[in-house]
Amino acid sequence: MSEIPTELRFATSHEWARLEEDGSVTVGISDHAQNALGDVVYVELPEQGQLVAAQHEAGVVESVKAASDIYAPVGGTVIAINSALDDAPELVNQDPYGAGWFFKMEPADVEELTELLDPEAYAEICEAEEH
Amino acid sequence: MSRQTPLHAAHVEAGGKMVDFAGWQMPLNYGSQINEHHVVRQTAGMFDVSHMTVIDVSGEGCCEFLRRMVANDVAKLDCDGKALYGALLNDAGGVVDDLIVYRRSHGYRCVVNASTRDKVLDWFADQAPADVLVEEKDLAMIAVQGPRAVVNFQTATHIDLIDELSPFGFLEHNNWMIARTGYTGEDGVEVILPKADVSALWEHLMDVGVQPIGLAARDTLRLEAGLNLYGQDMDTSTSPLVSNLAWTITWQPASREFIGRDALRAERTAGITQKLTGLVMEARGVLRRDQRVTTSFGDGVITSGIFSPTLGYSIALARLPIKATGDCQVEIRGKMLPVRIVKPPFVRRGQSVFD
């Protein structure tokens, strides 16, 4: 059973989104997702300042075994990227909800967060995939 | 319902992430496939390969039968205790499977893939004459691989003389067959033994520090070693001549009419147009199967691609126009990235070996 923090919202494509106190949204992939991918070796992040629409491609995560697109859980502007992943992509496996974050956005419409899955609904999706 | 090996409980206990592979529940990894990869390159790891198919071939005509079935010549095994790698071909020269053939005192033992089990058993049954007995054996198999593999195996089992086996040599010890073979590019042994014995051997190996390694690391290790995977780098639509396996075809004596010989001869006469070779990409990204390769002699395709844990960048096997050398390009997500054609293997005995 993978870990699912309660303060997060999730996309069906396994990204998580966290609303920060300053109104920005941090994005990463879930524990379930990193576990399914296996060892991450390379993360292609969006550019700082890039505009991305909700559910549109915002990067790629490559593990030894497979490449997987990362979709923006909400629309907005990319305001920071986690450049630590360049040299230490394994952070995605080691700490998917912490040091393994991908990028931060300034959301165009913070209400879009409510359209994402809450932890309970996301747990059901993970469970269905695990069986 | 997929089958379980006798080590299933041991895998689960060791944290193995079990997946379905060729009809078997096998461990993909026990946490991190990269760590497992390094363990095999640096010390010693063990693989449960009990899913592989063991076929014993005996009877008066067994040698002549295998000389017809295998493109390599089992007559080269001039005494018991020797094994060779080879390919089973169809009449068109396509690869039905690759295998290891061991010469024993009462016949031959063949180890073929799990994914090809039914096909190969049918093929053998179709081709075997009345004086040849073909029997599948229900046995277990463990591969112990790495620079410390042989030492650790001897410590765990107290069986001597393993370190004196030459590559592809094997010995029989009670009901165990212990061969100096493997699929990683490292020293080591593969042990075929009764299912009842395998859990104890696994535990004894654990006790001396040999770590369990999953299928995912098995794939990165074999690819670094430049070893083909059946169904991926070759199949019935490709001959050994375009699969980097020309060295496994024994042409002499010319009188040996192995299956596929005429087709291979015709392919050679017409001119071989492709080759299976290596690619390295030092740019960021990972080469993957089915990606298109553009060379100045035409296009090719990647058959297996991975991130190489030993080298720290991506490598691949690709089927390319035979004349292609040097620099070429691979299309990844719409971008053309530079790659270099190299002759595999990429890694042997823990060291980078391509030029």
Side-chain angles (χ1 to χ4, degrees):
Chain A
M1 194 60 214
S2 54
E3 183 202 343
I4 303 178
T6 52
E7 75 278 17
L8 304 183
R9 289 293 175 273
F10 294 84
T12 50
S13 47
H14 302 288
E15 295 82 6
W16 55 260
R18 183 173 58 225
L19 181 62
E20 308 291 355
E21 282 178 8
D22 63 2
S24 67
V25 172
T26 306
V27 178
I29 64 167
S30 72
D31 189 32
H32 171 85
Q34 70 76 19
N35 191 40
L37 279 167
D39 290 307
V40 171
V41 292
Y42 172 56
V43 180
E44 197 175 294
L45 294 168
E47 310 235 330
Q48 211 159 315
Q50 192 178 323
L51 275 171
V52 285
Q55 281 108 52
H56 279 63
E57 219 179 288
V60 177
V61 55
E62 298 231 35
S63 67
V64 182
K65 213 55 189 164
S68 182
D69 290 328
I70 305 161
Y71 300 97
V74 297
T77 308
V78 176
I79 55 170
I81 56 171
N82 184 3
S83 47
L85 299 181
D86 278 356
D87 293 327
E90 63 274 16
L91 290 172
V92 176
N93 297 113
Q94 291 163 359
D95 192 9
Y97 299 117
W101 64 280
F102 283 13
F103 54 90
K104 274 184 202 295
M105 307 176 68
E106 186 177 290
D109 175 6
V110 77
E111 285 302 302
E112 279 182 350
L113 276 172
T114 60
E115 292 164 27
L116 297 172
L117 301 169
D118 62 29
E120 248 172 54
Y122 182 65
E124 278 173 29
I125 286 186
C126 295
E127 203 159 316
E129 280 187 15
E130 277 163 23
H131 293 104
Chain B
M1 188 63 200
S2 49
R3 298 170 70 184
Q4 296 182 351
T5 77
L7 291 168
H8 188 268
H11 298 315
V12 172
E13 194 184 329
K17 181 175 169 186
M18 306 305 286
V19 295
D20 192 273
F21 178 81
W24 292 81
Q25 285 178 49
M26 301 301 292
L28 185 65
N29 62 59
Y30 301 84
S32 165
Q33 73 173 91
I34 290 183
N35 291 346
E36 290 164 30
H37 182 107
H38 292 318
V39 163
V40 173
R41 289 274 178 255
Q42 291 161 12
T43 56
M46 58 182 167
F47 308 77
D48 178 9
V49 283
S50 303
H51 59 308
M52 295 194 73
T53 309
V54 179
I55 303 170
D56 282 356
V57 179
S58 58
E60 193 72 22
C62 67
C63 177
E64 283 314 304
F65 170 65
L66 287 173
R67 292 189 78 198
R68 201 163 61 77
M69 296 297 286
V70 183
N72 209 340
D73 190 355
V74 303
K76 287 198 279 190
L77 303 173
D78 55 8
C79 61
D80 300 347
K82 289 188 179 175
L84 60 71
Y85 173 77
L88 301 168
L89 306 183
N90 60 22
D91 289 323
V95 182
V96 173
D97 203 358
D98 61 342
L99 79 170
I100 293 180
V101 184
Y102 303 83
R103 178 174 158 174
R104 310 174 73 200
S105 55
H106 299 292
Y108 294 86
R109 172 163 286 173
C110 301
V111 174
V112 308
N113 285 292
S115 57
T116 54
R117 173 183 175 271
D118 296 352
K119 178 177 79 169
V120 171
L121 286 170
D122 288 350
W123 183 238
F124 273 38
D126 285 352
Q127 298 292 330
D131 63 349
V132 170
L133 180 65
V134 174
E135 293 172 284
E136 186 188 11
K137 304 303 266 190
D138 193 18
L139 296 166
M141 186 163 169
I142 295 180
V144 189
Q145 303 277 294
R148 306 250 333 139
V150 169
V151 169
N152 286 347
F153 183 81
Q154 292 196 150
T155 309
T157 61
H158 307 294
I159 300 171
D160 295 330
L161 300 176
I162 313 285
D163 54 347
E164 292 182 17
L165 288 173
S166 48
F168 281 84
F170 71 94
L171 57 81
E172 311 237 11
H173 178 87
N174 300 326
N175 288 320
W176 296 15
M177 223 180 83
I178 304 159
R180 200 145 194 183
T181 52
Y183 194 46
T184 62
E186 296 298 327
D187 192 10
V189 293
E190 292 180 301
V191 190
I192 302 173
L193 71 174
K195 288 162 94 172
D197 295 353
V198 71
S199 293
L201 173 60
W202 187 265
E203 276 172 35
H204 290 147
L205 287 165
M206 288 273 252
D207 289 344
V208 297
V210 179
Q211 293 184 39
I213 312 294
L215 286 180
R218 185 167 166 82
D219 191 50
T220 53
L221 288 158
R222 70 92 191 168
L223 189 45
E224 285 187 347
L227 300 170
N228 293 1
L229 173 60
Y230 188 79
Q232 202 156 308
D233 305 305
M234 59 194 171
D235 58 29
T236 47
S237 72
T238 52
S239 82
L241 297 170
V242 296
S243 305
N244 200 25
L245 294 179
W247 65 274
T248 70
I249 304 167
T250 306
W251 293 97
Q252 299 298 330
S255 57
R256 185 176 69 99
E257 286 297 331
F258 62 86
I259 296 171
R261 180 176 189 125
D262 292 345
L264 295 185
R265 193 189 294 121
E267 187 179 356
R268 216 168 50 161
T269 306
I272 298 159
T273 58
Q274 292 179 305
K275 62 179 173 184
L276 187 74
T277 189
L279 296 177
V280 298
M281 180 172 77
E282 299 193 20
R284 297 171 61 84
V286 184
L287 301 168
R288 306 282 181 194
R289 176 171 170 78
D290 292 334
Q291 285 170 351
R292 188 138 296 281
V293 185
T294 305
T295 81
S296 39
F297 294 92
D299 284 0
V301 68
I302 290 177
T303 56
S304 290
I306 54 153
F307 172 83
S308 159
T310 304
L311 301 172
Y313 46 78
S314 186
I315 59 172
L317 293 177
R319 189 162 278 106
L320 302 182
I322 193 157
K323 289 184 177 161
T325 53
D327 296 330
C328 62
Q329 293 186 306
V330 172
E331 185 180 341
I332 301 179
R333 294 187 289 277
K335 278 185 238 167
M336 300 303 284
L337 297 175
V339 297
R340 193 154 53 90
I341 300 169
V342 302
K343 194 171 158 37
F346 305 93
V347 176
R348 271 285 151 91
R349 304 281 188 258
Q351 302 296 315
S352 165
V353 289
F354 62 86
D355 41 45

